Amino acid sequence: GPTFEAIDPVRGITNLSSGKMGFAIAKAARRAGADVTLVAGPVALPTPRGVHRVNVVSAQEMANATLAVLDSGSMFNVFVGTAAVADWRVTQPSAEKLKKNSNRVGPVLSFLENPDILATVARMPCAQKKTDGSKYLFCVGFSAETHALERYASEKRKRKGVPLMVGNIGPLTFGQDENALLLVDEMGTTEIPKASKDQLATR
Ligand code: C5P
């Protein structure tokens, strides 16, 4: 789902991601027999049966929780980054609620870039493809775009160093129960036509 970046104790910046795709993938993986840990942003979705859930709010918390899970000693085979992680956080969130002032001008916020969780995980030694064919952490990213899906998804796959990038059209997926996907890997692209997120996750 989304992350939430605080401005002050009662306000923040977030996005329209619902978390439905990520939860559907967690459910499908569990149904296929996997042990699943779901690091979830602030979403009101029920935890899929048998899935271990870790709740976080901000991108920084999501990064910390994800790295802690991967560090916990369990052997993971697949990492799927479906979250719409906020690109930026407010440099200095106010400890107190910001108040309106008489000159009718709002506050000026400055931003810092958040850590890229997917790129960080994909750079870990355990995520490097092994020449002897042994297992490694297979990383999957999601790329939400408004246009030029193939180009952006393929660029992002290379930039983040992941074997599989899944492209989708942001405004057509955020909050919806259905979606259509474009899988981009080293072999090329594969379209998965519109279907429910549960069906897409299973495929
Ligand atoms: O660069 P962009 O946000 O479009 O990349 C999307 C992919 O990168 C998604 O898989 C998303 O979960 C991941 N991502 C991340 N940490 C960020 C930004 C994006 O893991 N700070």
Side-chain angles (χ1 to χ4, degrees), residues 18-34:
S18 63
K20 286 178 182 172
M21 193 70 234
F23 275 62
I25 289 172
K27 189 161 87 180
R30 177 70 198 139
R31 224 190 279 125

Side-chain angles (χ1 to χ4, degrees), residues 14 43 61 81 88-89 109 115 127 141 165 167 188-189:
T14 186
V43 293
E61 284 176 21
W88 308 283
R89 65 177 176 278
L109 300 172
M165 186 58 84
T189 59

Side-chain angles (χ1 to χ4, degrees), residues 8-201:
D8 70 16
V10 295
R11 306 184 181 91
I13 292 170
T14 186
N15 62 66
L16 293 173
S17 170
S18 63
K20 286 178 182 172
M21 193 70 234
F23 275 62
I25 289 172
K27 189 161 87 180
R30 177 70 198 139
R31 224 190 279 125
D35 287 326
V36 182
T37 299
L38 172 63
V39 179
V43 293
L45 293 173
T47 308
R49 190 190 297 269
V51 166
H52 175 57
R53 176 175 183 167
V54 180
N55 287 320
V56 298
V57 175
S58 67
Q60 193 66 61
E61 284 176 21
M62 188 174 277
N64 294 344
T66 303
L67 296 180
V69 167
L70 289 172
D71 252 7
S72 65
S74 312
M75 174 64 199
F76 288 93
N77 303 115
V78 184
F79 173 75
V80 189
T82 49
V85 186
D87 289 319
W88 308 283
R89 65 177 176 278
V90 176
T91 309
Q92 269 185 323
S94 170
E96 293 172 352
K97 185 183 173 190
L98 299 174
K99 305 302 287 177
K100 280 190 271 195
N101 59 24
S102 53
N103 63 15
R104 301 194 145 201
V105 178
V108 175
L109 300 172
S110 72
F111 294 89
L112 273 176
E113 197 172 293
N114 276 324
D116 191 308
I117 303 167
L118 179 63
T120 305
V121 173
R123 272 196 303 268
M124 291 166 67
C126 63
Q128 306 311 310
K129 191 172 183 174
K130 305 286 182 283
T131 44
D132 63 2
S134 58
K135 281 185 178 171
Y136 63 103
L137 181 68
F138 187 86
C139 292
V140 183
F142 269 68
S143 175
E145 311 294 341
T146 55
H147 62 286
L149 190 54
E150 183 171 347
R151 176 156 63 88
Y152 287 132
S154 148
E155 277 173 14
K156 223 168 263 185
R157 187 181 86 83
K158 293 194 187 107
R159 180 154 33 91
K160 303 209 181 208
V162 297
L164 176 61
M165 186 58 84
V166 183
N168 55 180
I169 301 292
L172 298 183
T173 177
F174 279 18
Q176 304 299 313
D177 290 323
E178 294 190 319
N179 195 8
L181 304 177
L182 182 75
L183 272 54
V184 183
D185 66 11
E186 63 178 355
M187 309 288 285
T189 59
T190 309
E191 265 183 63
I192 309 191
K194 190 169 172 182
S196 74
K197 287 183 176 176
D198 280 337
Q199 288 168 326
L200 294 171

